[in-house]
Amino acid sequence: MDELSKYRRALTIGTLILLTLCFLGGALLPEHQSILLGLALGAGVSWLNSYYLGRKVRQVSEAAVSGGSKRLSMGFLTRAALAILAVYAALKNPQYLNVYAVAGGLVFAQLYLLIVGIRFSRKSQ
């Protein structure tokens, strides 16, 4: 298993755990439901953006190794559009989704991968 797959697997497991906790908390704590559902939406979009970025990095690296001259981008506009769409959904439905929780959830993957990266680097020593 290469390093990118290892990080992708850890992120998927961590995101699924967070989504499970958010949905259970939203069901059991109705007064905090909009916050927890907003966090779930933000974390889901964050996972999707990280997964997409990993796929694009793999495509670019394979093109570089094969010597392909095809121009590839990292998909910034797609990832930005997904984040904007999540915030827009929260703005349009404030009774179901908390805007601040969505924005906080959008950085979940980056923070989680930072922690996982530190843990993996200490484990390999």
Side-chain angles (χ1 to χ4, degrees):
M1 180 183 297
D2 65 334
E3 196 165 337
L4 184 60
S5 297
K6 188 168 56 169
Y7 281 105
R8 185 182 288 174
R9 179 176 164 84
L11 179 62
T12 301
I13 291 170
T15 303
L16 288 175
I17 290 170
L18 178 67
L19 290 176
T20 302
L21 292 174
C22 286
F23 291 139
L24 282 175
L28 298 175
L29 304 168
E31 63 274 5
H32 300 295
Q33 187 175 24
S34 68
I35 295 171
L36 292 167
L37 291 179
L39 186 62
L41 176 64
V45 170
S46 180
W47 175 83
L48 188 62
N49 281 342
S50 295
Y51 190 84
Y52 184 69
L53 180 61
R55 198 179 101 212
K56 295 301 275 185
V57 165
R58 187 164 293 195
Q59 285 178 352
V60 168
S61 64
E62 287 173 358
V65 167
S66 67
S69 62
K70 182 180 173 188
R71 184 170 176 231
L72 294 170
S73 70
M74 296 304 270
F76 172 75
L77 290 178
T78 302
R79 293 181 288 120
L82 283 172
I84 290 170
L85 185 63
V87 172
Y88 180 74
L91 287 172
K92 284 295 186 183
N93 301 301
Q95 68 273 21
Y96 301 116
L97 301 167
N98 186 308
V99 177
Y100 299 113
V102 172
L106 286 172
V107 298
F108 168 74
Q110 290 83 5
L111 295 176
Y112 187 77
L113 285 174
L114 177 68
I115 294 167
V116 168
I118 292 170
R119 194 185 86 204
F120 282 164
S121 69
R122 290 185 186 264
K123 189 186 236 184
S124 66
Q125 291 179 359

